[in-house]
């Protein structure tokens, strides 16, 4: 969090980019769910509205969905997840799956919007779109639009400026938590900026438009000069403005892998998983070993963070890095946006992130898309390939009815005297797009998210071959194959375990597949469950596993006139594969 003493104030974000206005009354009056079940995707929704949508869609698509809470937020709201798959072809936990969320950071509302939009495409596209239909017949998606319902509601409905959880936190070390947030001085429902005349000011009014503030240069020898800061007052009388707002912890620094205390990682919390939202996340993911990928939606910037994250890049497996770089190239090809490593320095990096836990503790490749490229919704009126402040204002005036900029207006500040309040509504102009342009940001994400799901391992089991050994004993052979792209260990990290004296590896990060033989009218001589080694996929980025198929053999003894054998695999990243039962007479 930026902390400043007012005589030295400087705006911490570029004035030309901004963030948000809460939903207006017109938006609130519009019907939430249309008669055909669809919704307006050019709209940001509260947690309660999102839950209403999820419930409506779960009722409309009962054979494709299950909706449930995985825990409670700090303020007691349900943390809702909806799982999506064709139940007629098997439950979600028996299929390879992708986890998709959004909104861990309070003001990053577009992550929630993308998750909701993708969910809508899956549900309304099933049976109409061949690709979506095939995926939901064979795989599953867990969608969690509101990771942080408390924080996102405050950001959306009150324009509060908080990083993540609403848990009180003493940002300025004065013994009192949350006592100096920004203030809506002009009572317009939005937190904008305030400017104050000062000889020390580093901003001037641009000659092209009196609404535009630009940085002071050496040629600006005559004022007026302005100090620009977020709208607010010094609530605690310490000479600083807005330095201790709501909350202060960062839930994406609270995960247990490579977590560090507050003096090293700002916002980390008192201990790993101290927040109910992060604890519920890990409990959920840990219980579902069929998850093969994580998409953890954030804003803004218009790129995707890749692994390594929250760790020393030099310790990251080079084979896995090559795999991740290949997968990232598909993101760039489909969206036109770059891929960036989350860690580039041995120690100067984030600590305690979700995708770091996913990789090191579960072998999963996770991604952090930072949605919303700067000015992506603004018309380039002069065609020069860049967006100027004049073009931002013109687009806002002509296309958006001027809704996202407030003209500078004089205000009698109780501590500073006369100031002027105005500027961009930052939550909906930079961190998120204006709602009118929201769906155009969601649409480019679908192909790559579906593609990630398609890269999972996928197990198949051949029809059991049953051959007589003697009068009542039989040999049963099946071949189990991974027909997917990723190996069943997902990554080289997933193969890591403890090596025993005989050279075998146990307690691997990703549990290898297990085959199960069930017999009716007979008994299995020896173990019915057989732990297999990991199986490679079609990916070229696998050195520890080479074979894509393995054959399993059992011996069974008949105990009845008719005997039936059934072979399946237990749940895991490659899903559950079942062979047709074979009757032996």
């Amino acid at each position: 969090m930026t902390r400043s003493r007012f005589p030295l104030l400087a705006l911490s974000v570029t004035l030309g980019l901004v963030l948000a206005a809460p939903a207006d009354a017109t938006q609130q009056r519009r019907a939430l769910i249309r008669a055909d079940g669809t919704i307006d995707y050019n709209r940001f929704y509260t947690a309660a509205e999102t839950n209403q949508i999820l419930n409506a869609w779960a009722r409309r698509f009962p054979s494709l969905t299950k909706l449930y809470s995985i825990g409670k937020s700090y303020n007691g709201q349900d943390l809702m997840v909806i799982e999506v798959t064709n139940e007629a072809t098997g439950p979600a936990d028996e299929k390879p799956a992708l986890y998709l969320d959004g909104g861990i950071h309070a003001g990053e509302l577009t992550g929630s919007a993308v998750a909701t939009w993708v969910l809508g495409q899956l549900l309304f596209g099933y049976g109409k779109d061949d690709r979506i239909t095939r995926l939901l017949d064979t795989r599953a998606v867990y969608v969690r639009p509101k990771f942080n319902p408390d924080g996102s509601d405050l950001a959306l409905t009150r324009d509060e400026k908080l990083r993540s959880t609403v848990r009180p936190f003493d940002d300025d070390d004065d013994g009192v938590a949350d006592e100096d947030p920004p203030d809506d001085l002009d009572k317009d429902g939005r937190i904008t900026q305030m400017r104050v005349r000062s000889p020390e000011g580093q901003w001037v009014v641009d000659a092209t438009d009196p609404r535009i503030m630009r940085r002071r240069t050496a040629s600006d020898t005559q004022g007026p000069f302005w100090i620009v800061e977020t709208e607010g007052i010094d609530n605690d009388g310490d000479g600083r403005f807005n330095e201790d707002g709501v909350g202060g912890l960062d839930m994406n620094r609270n995960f247990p892998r490579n977590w560090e205390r507050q003096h090293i990682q700002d916002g980390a919390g008192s201990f790993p998983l101290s927040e109910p939202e992060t604890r519920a996340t890990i409990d959920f993911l840990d219980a579902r070993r069929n998850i093969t990928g994580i998409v953890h939606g954030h804003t803004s910037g218009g790129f995707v963070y890749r692994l390594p994250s929250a760790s020393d890049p030099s310790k990251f497996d080079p084979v896995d890095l090559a795999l991740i770089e290949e997968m990232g190239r598909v993101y760039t090809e489909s969206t036109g946006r770059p891929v960036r490593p989350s860690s580039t320095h041995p120690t100067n990096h984030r600590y305690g992130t979700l995708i770091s836990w996913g990789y090191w503790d579960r072998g999963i490749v996770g991604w952090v898309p930072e949605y919303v490229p700067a000015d992506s919704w603004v018309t380039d009126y002069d065609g020069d390939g860049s967006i100027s402040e004049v073009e931002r204002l013109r687009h806002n005036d002509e296309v958006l009815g001027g809704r996202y900029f407030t003209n500078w207006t004089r205000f009698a500040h109780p501590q500073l005297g006369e100031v002027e309040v105005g500027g961009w509504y930052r939550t909906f102009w930079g961190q998120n797009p204006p709602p009118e342009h929201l769906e155009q940001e969601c649409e480019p994400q679908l192909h790559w998210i579906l593609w990630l799901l398609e890269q999972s391992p996928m197990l198949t089991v051949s029809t059991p071959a049953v051959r007589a050994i003697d009068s009542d004993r039989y040999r049963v052979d099946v071949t189990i194959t991974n027909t997917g792209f990723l190996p069943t260990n997902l990554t080289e990290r997933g193969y890591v375990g403890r090596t025993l004296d005989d050279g075998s590896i146990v307690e691997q990060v990703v549990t290898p597949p297990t085959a199960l033989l069930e017999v009716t009218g007979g008994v299995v001589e020896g173990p019915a469950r057989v732990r297999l080694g990991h199986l490679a996929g079609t990916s070229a980025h696998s050195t520890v596993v080479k074979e894509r198929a393995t054959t399993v053999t059992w011996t069974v003894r008949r105990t009845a006139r008719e005997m039936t054998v059934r072979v399946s695999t237990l749940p895991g990243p490659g899903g559950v594969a079942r062979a047709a039962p074979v009757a032996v007479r």
Side-chain angles (χ1 to χ4, degrees):
M1 178 173 290
T2 301
R3 303 175 183 177
S4 59
R5 193 167 295 276
F6 191 78
L8 301 177
L9 289 180
L11 191 61
S12 60
V13 295
T14 303
L15 273 178
L17 303 178
V18 289
L19 311 152
D24 60 26
T26 301
Q27 184 184 54
Q28 294 290 348
R29 286 194 296 268
R30 292 202 298 266
L32 189 65
I33 302 165
R34 303 182 182 114
D36 62 359
T38 61
I39 64 171
D40 181 2
Y41 290 114
N42 283 324
R43 175 176 170 183
F44 293 101
Y45 294 97
T46 66
E49 290 170 333
T50 300
N51 290 344
Q52 187 177 340
I53 293 166
L54 297 182
N55 276 283
W57 284 353
R59 291 191 299 269
R60 191 178 189 92
F61 300 99
S63 63
L64 293 178
T65 61
K66 284 187 178 178
L67 177 64
Y68 44 80
S69 172
I70 64 170
K72 298 284 188 179
S73 71
Y74 179 80
N75 280 343
Q77 295 196 70
D78 280 310
L79 305 174
M80 302 303 296
V81 170
I82 187 166
E83 61 181 49
V84 188
T85 193
N86 178 12
E87 290 281 336
T89 59
D93 60 4
E94 293 189 358
K95 297 173 180 175
L98 182 76
Y99 169 80
L100 169 66
D101 73 23
I104 188 172
H105 291 147
E108 299 181 8
L109 303 166
T110 307
S112 299
V114 170
T116 304
W117 188 87
V118 169
L119 173 63
Q121 305 314 299
L122 293 174
L123 296 178
F124 289 91
Y126 184 82
K128 301 182 181 75
D129 183 286
D130 290 343
R131 184 186 190 191
I132 289 174
T133 303
R134 182 178 65 254
L135 278 172
L136 294 186
D137 284 345
T138 57
R139 293 167 174 85
V141 185
Y142 300 105
V143 185
R144 183 181 173 190
K146 292 287 185 177
F147 190 109
N148 173 20
D150 300 341
S152 66
D153 277 356
L154 278 182
L156 179 61
T157 64
R158 286 174 32 188
D159 205 20
E160 289 282 0
K161 308 303 181 188
L162 70 161
R163 177 62 169 166
S164 195
T165 174
V166 300
R167 181 188 294 277
F169 186 78
D170 182 10
D171 289 284
D172 56 356
D173 300 319
D174 65 354
V176 184
D178 299 1
E179 81 285 359
D180 195 3
D183 302 277
D184 180 13
L185 300 177
D186 57 3
K187 307 303 179 185
D188 66 350
R190 289 128 176 161
I191 301 296
T192 54
Q193 292 89 52
M194 61 183 183
R195 64 186 188 184
V196 188
R197 289 180 186 243
S198 170
E200 299 178 3
Q202 296 300 307
W203 296 87
V204 296
V205 174
D206 192 86
T208 60
D209 189 316
R211 294 175 294 178
I212 297 175
M213 301 296 293
R214 63 170 175 80
R215 283 285 186 179
R216 180 178 176 179
T217 66
S219 62
D220 296 312
T221 58
Q222 294 185 352
F225 304 120
W226 302 84
I227 293 170
V228 181
E229 173 63 298
T230 301
E231 187 179 357
I233 63 174
D234 177 13
N235 291 279
D236 55 2
D238 66 354
R240 294 181 289 180
F241 287 72
N242 312 321
E243 83 285 353
D244 195 353
V246 175
L249 302 183
D250 184 340
M251 287 193 280
N252 201 33
R253 307 295 183 265
N254 189 238
F255 291 101
R257 171 58 63 169
N258 206 15
W259 177 89
E260 277 290 356
R261 293 182 63 245
Q262 185 77 17
H263 70 283
I264 294 176
Q265 174 58 70
D266 189 40
S270 300
F271 51 87
L273 304 183
S274 62
E275 305 314 298
E277 297 88 348
T278 56
R279 179 57 187 262
T281 303
I282 295 304
D283 285 345
F284 176 81
L285 297 175
D286 186 58
R288 288 161 179 80
R289 302 304 176 96
N290 59 320
I291 291 176
T292 65
I294 292 172
V295 178
H296 187 43
H298 290 235
T299 63
S300 61
F303 61 92
V304 67
Y305 276 126
R306 63 157 173 84
L307 292 163
S309 174
S311 62
D312 182 349
S314 68
K315 297 180 180 179
F316 201 83
D317 189 286
V319 176
D320 285 344
L321 181 58
L323 167 68
I324 291 163
E325 289 175 340
E326 177 182 332
M327 299 176 84
R329 281 192 288 273
V330 177
Y331 172 83
T332 300
E333 291 167 2
S334 64
T335 67
R337 300 178 182 181
V339 180
R340 299 178 183 175
S342 182
S343 288
T344 58
H345 188 275
T347 57
N348 185 19
H349 54 65
R350 303 166 183 84
Y351 290 85
T353 66
L354 175 59
I355 65 168
S356 183
W357 177 87
Y359 175 77
W360 293 101
D361 288 46
R362 291 293 171 264
I364 298 170
V365 175
W367 305 86
V368 179
E370 296 282 355
Y371 303 119
V372 194
D375 297 321
S376 56
W377 60 90
V378 180
T379 303
D380 181 9
Y381 291 97
D382 60 11
D384 68 350
S386 64
I387 301 297
S388 67
E389 186 76 344
V390 170
E391 288 171 317
R392 294 183 187 106
L393 286 167
R394 180 178 173 184
H395 185 95
N396 180 56
D397 291 342
E398 297 180 1
V399 179
L400 302 174
R403 285 185 287 277
Y404 302 102
F405 190 95
T406 296
N407 292 332
W408 298 100
T409 304
R410 291 179 181 179
F411 180 83
H413 195 283
Q415 294 153 326
L416 301 173
E418 184 176 288
V419 303
E420 293 184 11
V421 174
W424 291 104
Y425 304 149
R426 292 194 297 260
T427 304
F428 288 166
W429 196 279
Q431 188 177 30
N432 303 285
E436 294 88 341
H437 293 293
L438 182 56
E439 189 168 12
Q440 77 183 49
E441 175 59 27
C442 296
E443 289 175 348
Q445 316 305 325
L446 183 63
H447 168 72
W448 184 69
I449 290 172
L450 296 181
W451 182 85
L452 288 177
L453 187 57
E454 290 169 333
Q455 306 318 299
S456 72
M458 180 65 67
L459 295 181
T460 62
V461 180
S462 66
T463 301
V466 182
R467 298 176 179 83
I469 298 174
D470 51 36
S471 60
D472 63 353
R473 295 169 68 245
Y474 296 82
R475 171 175 167 163
V476 180
D477 294 296
V478 298
T479 297
I480 298 172
T481 304
N482 177 14
T483 63
F485 173 76
L486 291 175
T488 57
N489 48 292
L490 303 179
T491 54
E492 303 289 277
R493 172 64 185 174
Y495 193 82
V496 171
R498 180 161 54 91
T499 303
L500 301 180
D501 292 340
D502 63 2
S504 61
I505 301 176
V506 297
E507 298 176 2
Q508 289 173 275
V509 172
V510 178
T511 303
T514 295
L516 171 65
L517 173 65
E518 299 173 280
V519 182
T520 303
V523 295
V524 182
E525 295 184 351
R529 295 188 180 197
V530 177
R531 175 64 59 83
L532 314 176
H534 277 296
L535 298 174
T538 60
S539 168
H541 306 291
S542 179
T543 61
V544 291
V545 180
K546 294 295 186 183
E547 299 301 322
R548 297 180 60 197
T550 187
T551 298
V552 187
T553 299
W554 292 270
T555 299
V556 299
R557 179 169 52 84
R558 183 198 296 272
T559 59
R561 181 175 179 180
E562 292 189 355
M563 180 175 71
T564 301
V565 298
R566 298 175 177 84
V567 178
S568 62
T569 62
L570 299 185
V576 172
R578 291 184 175 87
V582 173
V584 183
R585 295 181 173 83

